[in-house]
Amino acid sequence: MASYGGRGGHRGGRNTRGGGGRNSRSGGGGRGGGAGLEGGPPPRLRPCRNFVTTGSCVNASTCGFAHVVKMHASIDASSRSSKPSHHRYNQPNTSHEPVSSVAIWETQGTIKIFSGSHDGYWRLWNTAQGTFVKEFEHRMGGKVETVDVASNFLFVGFEGTTVKVPGVRVGMVHAWNLAVPTDPPIEFQMDPLAPYSAAGCITSFLNSGDTMVSGSHDGTIRIWAYDAAVGGGKGGFALRHTLHGHAGEVTGLAVVGGTMLWSGSTDSTIRLWDMASGECKYLITKETPGT
């Protein structure tokens, strides 16, 4: 199930902290959610769970949590889980596969939403009438981990298979040109003998002009650049750098100053990379002075 808030923000996808996607870290204890990350400062805002889900709170005058974020709508954006039920009375499994990521697409004055799910589909939802109407869905063949819209392209990171590595699931990236969505997608490939994007599933995206950066579950980061000569002159993204250093899943990417790439990981570190050379310039850990 995917939920979309009101004033409190517009996306709760995989790369969003505290937004309700796969990488959300704020759920948990009490009506107002859990405390901050281990060793980190407490959250500045602790939304009231009752107000978020219902728009009201019976303890309005005495509630110690913030009444600033309200859920606008909730939709079933994935298929029912095919996993067997472990209920003690053998009741059927009625849960849905996780929605791993969402992305906003503003087109011709209309806001549309792409969602990706572990059921192997990405879906397009139209919000024109104040409701969420499914316009389209596409099956990828493996669980979709992340979706992103940038430069009028839809980028989808998912698990797939290739004849070069039979029987093994690898990380793949396909990109659709939203101006001509009926065209086949652009496939990100490391090289002809490795026609995939990463050994592990793709967990994060970042667009910077004609450059696309992908992070993966195995800790690697890859920098791709658009090249009109790729694909026999049809155009595509060519691999420029592979960045090694993280010992855990890459969870976030950002560019600062146009040339410095920041990356975060489940290994509890932040790395700063020179995008031109692919060299790691700085490493920040929980032991770094001032953190």
Side-chain angles (χ1 to χ4, degrees):
M1 177 172 289
S3 300
Y4 306 98
R7 295 174 55 232
H10 65 256
R11 62 185 300 176
R14 181 182 173 87
N15 297 332
T16 304
R17 288 294 177 267
R22 184 174 184 271
N23 280 346
S24 175
R25 303 287 191 246
S26 67
R31 285 173 38 249
L37 295 176
E38 180 181 357
R44 295 183 179 181
L45 182 67
R46 301 185 67 187
C48 170
R49 184 174 300 174
N50 288 337
F51 187 84
V52 168
T53 56
T54 67
S56 64
C57 175
V58 295
N59 302 313
S61 59
T62 59
C63 183
F65 299 99
H67 295 172
V68 295
V69 180
K70 184 170 65 175
M71 184 171 64
H72 172 66
S74 178
I75 55 174
D76 289 331
S78 65
S79 306
R80 291 191 182 276
S81 175
S82 58
K83 298 176 183 178
S85 173
H86 297 291
H87 195 278
R88 62 184 299 182
Y89 298 113
N90 295 321
Q91 292 184 358
N93 190 350
T94 58
S95 64
H96 288 253
E97 292 289 346
V99 175
S100 54
S101 184
V102 297
I104 303 297
W105 180 35
E106 297 187 37
T107 174
Q108 299 178 346
T110 300
I111 294 178
K112 299 186 179 183
I113 297 174
F114 286 100
S115 65
S117 171
H118 283 187
D119 66 2
Y121 286 83
W122 62 257
R123 296 174 172 89
L124 176 62
W125 308 87
N126 194 327
T127 69
Q129 304 301 320
T131 58
F132 295 89
V133 178
K134 184 171 66 176
E135 283 192 356
F136 188 77
E137 66 179 13
H138 184 79
R139 186 173 184 271
M140 300 303 298
K143 65 180 182 179
V144 176
E145 288 289 353
T146 184
V147 296
D148 191 32
V149 174
S151 302
N152 213 36
F153 275 81
L154 168 66
F155 298 88
V156 178
F158 66 102
E159 284 189 345
T161 57
T162 170
V163 294
K164 299 296 184 182
V165 192
V168 177
R169 289 197 170 275
V170 294
M172 293 187 166
V173 177
H174 286 184
W176 280 265
N177 185 344
L178 295 176
V180 281
T182 56
D183 283 0
I186 297 173
E187 299 184 17
F188 287 50
Q189 300 183 356
M190 292 189 287
D191 63 57
L193 294 180
Y196 45 91
S197 308
C201 59
I202 303 299
T203 56
S204 53
F205 283 138
L206 173 70
N207 175 263
S208 181
D210 289 337
T211 300
M212 194 69 186
V213 184
S214 62
S216 63
H217 188 271
D218 61 10
T220 57
I221 298 170
R222 289 180 170 83
I223 299 177
W224 312 79
Y226 186 81
D227 188 339
V230 172
K234 296 180 179 180
F237 287 84
L239 180 61
R240 293 292 183 253
H241 296 293
T242 299
L243 314 182
H244 297 281
H246 281 303
E249 174 183 334
V250 179
T251 55
L253 299 164
V255 171
V256 178
T259 59
M260 192 65 70
L261 173 67
W262 292 54
S263 61
S265 167
T266 56
D267 64 8
S268 300
T269 68
I270 297 174
R271 290 179 177 267
L272 282 67
W273 313 80
D274 184 325
M275 292 187 66
S277 66
E279 180 182 358
C280 183
K281 294 293 187 179
Y282 303 99
L283 171 64
I284 303 173
T285 74
K286 61 182 179 181
E287 305 297 336
T288 302
T291 59

